[in-house]
Amino acid sequence: MTILVTGARGNIGGRLLTLLAEGGHRVRGSARNTSALRLPEGAEPAELDVTDPRGAEQALRGVETMFLYPTRGETGAFLRIAAEARVRHVVLLSSPAAYEAGEYDRPIGLVHRAVERALEESGLRHTVLYPSWLATNARRDWAGEIRATGRVGIAHPDAQVNPVHIDDVAEVAARLLTEEAHRGRRQVLTGPRSMRLREVVAALGETVGAPVEVEELTVEQALGRRDPRMPEPVLRTLLEVTASAVGVPAPVTNTVERITGHPAREFAEWASANRADFR
């Protein structure tokens, strides 16, 4: 059995490839440009753009299960080829933005819903993963500022999230790709507890060994500091969602433990393993 992992350059896709290869599974990692891929020993590279079906037959040769990383664009043609290739099961990485109030009909939610709809229309058996606030968001959004200033500016720092460790997401995906027991239509993955954003920052400070100050930003200030790579409509949506989470505990599920057999990892465990990024 060959397992295809699309989006192999991503944090979750890369970790998933390693888990599968270490488990002795035959695995193939795909990217639009394979020259930039760093694959674990034994993994095969495959050049693939899921929005352009050219070459898809080769990438899908012998594939029984597939991890699908969401991407903006038309994926229907690729998924129809996957169905013709008799792929037995697909695990799609989606987002709660696909169904949450205030997000499902906005830019991020629409992208994820389009991929989910294409997968449904393909007729392929599938499970959709909805991981909550990824622990890696802390590195993406705050690491540079913390390294440079020892502080971080956040709008609505009392908003609550449930950070999930990417290793837990990868382990759940690996189980679903290799075992039939927990293949349902959707699985919602969260960390073990609801935390205010300022508590997440405090956990980073403890890991780094020095307190990290939280500067509370207004919405206007947050928009003024927008990374040019972040479209303004997307940031506005995220700020609105964050505002609605102030004082509201984030939902917590037991999905990670139910599927992997161990409790969901604490955010502090991820922070400890990645402390160098914040120093």
Side-chain angles (χ1 to χ4, degrees):
M1 174 182 77
T2 297
I3 303 170
L4 175 64
V5 175
T6 72
R9 292 181 60 190
N11 288 325
I12 293 173
R15 182 59 183 144
L16 175 58
L17 272 170
T18 299
L19 280 175
L20 292 169
E22 290 176 347
H25 299 283
R26 184 173 182 180
V27 64
R28 185 176 299 151
S30 77
R32 291 173 178 170
N33 181 2
T34 56
S35 65
L37 274 180
R38 297 180 180 177
L39 297 177
E41 185 177 354
E44 305 172 10
E47 193 164 290
L48 174 68
D49 179 352
V50 299
T51 66
D52 182 349
R54 288 176 296 182
E57 290 86 354
Q58 182 65 21
L60 290 163
R61 179 176 45 82
V63 169
E64 188 168 338
T65 60
M66 173 173 66
F67 177 77
L68 182 60
Y69 188 85
T71 187
R72 187 184 300 274
E74 171 58 44
T75 58
F78 167 71
L79 292 170
R80 286 191 292 273
I81 294 172
E84 292 168 1
R86 300 181 182 244
V87 173
R88 291 185 56 219
H89 199 83
V90 177
V91 176
L92 170 64
L93 181 69
S94 190
S95 164
Y99 60 79
E100 288 283 12
E103 291 187 272
Y104 77 94
D105 56 352
R106 305 291 286 276
I108 299 174
L110 291 172
V111 168
H112 287 283
R113 287 174 59 199
V115 179
E116 290 183 26
R117 184 167 55 251
L119 184 55
E120 182 73 32
E121 292 173 352
S122 74
L124 288 160
R125 292 182 178 273
H126 59 276
T127 302
V128 183
L129 299 185
Y130 296 106
S132 61
W133 197 88
L134 295 171
T136 49
N137 290 350
R139 177 171 56 207
R140 181 196 66 192
D141 296 340
W142 304 335
E145 189 175 1
I146 290 174
R147 285 196 307 269
T149 68
R151 60 191 298 179
V152 63
I154 303 176
H156 314 303
D158 289 308
Q160 297 195 43
V161 296
N162 42 16
V164 62
H165 199 300
I166 64 166
D167 283 357
D168 286 338
V169 180
E171 284 188 31
V172 167
R175 290 292 184 98
L176 292 168
L177 289 165
T178 59
E179 303 172 8
E180 297 187 9
H182 297 285
R183 290 177 181 171
R185 294 307 294 271
R186 54 178 60 93
Q187 299 287 359
V188 179
L189 314 178
T190 76
R193 69 188 69 256
S194 178
M195 302 174 69
R196 294 181 299 159
L197 288 173
R198 65 171 74 250
E199 292 173 326
V200 178
V201 174
L204 287 172
E206 292 177 7
T207 297
V208 171
V212 178
E213 180 184 349
V214 173
E215 176 189 3
E216 185 166 357
L217 304 179
T218 66
V219 170
E220 291 72 22
Q221 287 172 328
L223 289 170
R225 298 186 185 186
R226 176 177 61 89
D227 187 318
R229 294 170 296 181
M230 171 72 75
E232 184 174 333
V234 172
L235 180 56
R236 284 189 180 276
T237 298
L238 293 175
L239 290 171
E240 290 172 11
V241 170
T242 305
S244 69
V246 173
V248 180
V252 174
T253 71
N254 70 344
T255 306
V256 170
E257 184 168 12
R258 182 164 48 83
I259 294 178
T260 68
H262 65 73
R265 295 170 171 89
E266 296 281 352
F267 174 77
E269 183 174 338
W270 178 87
S272 178
N274 296 274
R275 62 168 64 89
D277 294 329
F278 297 88
R279 286 180 171 170

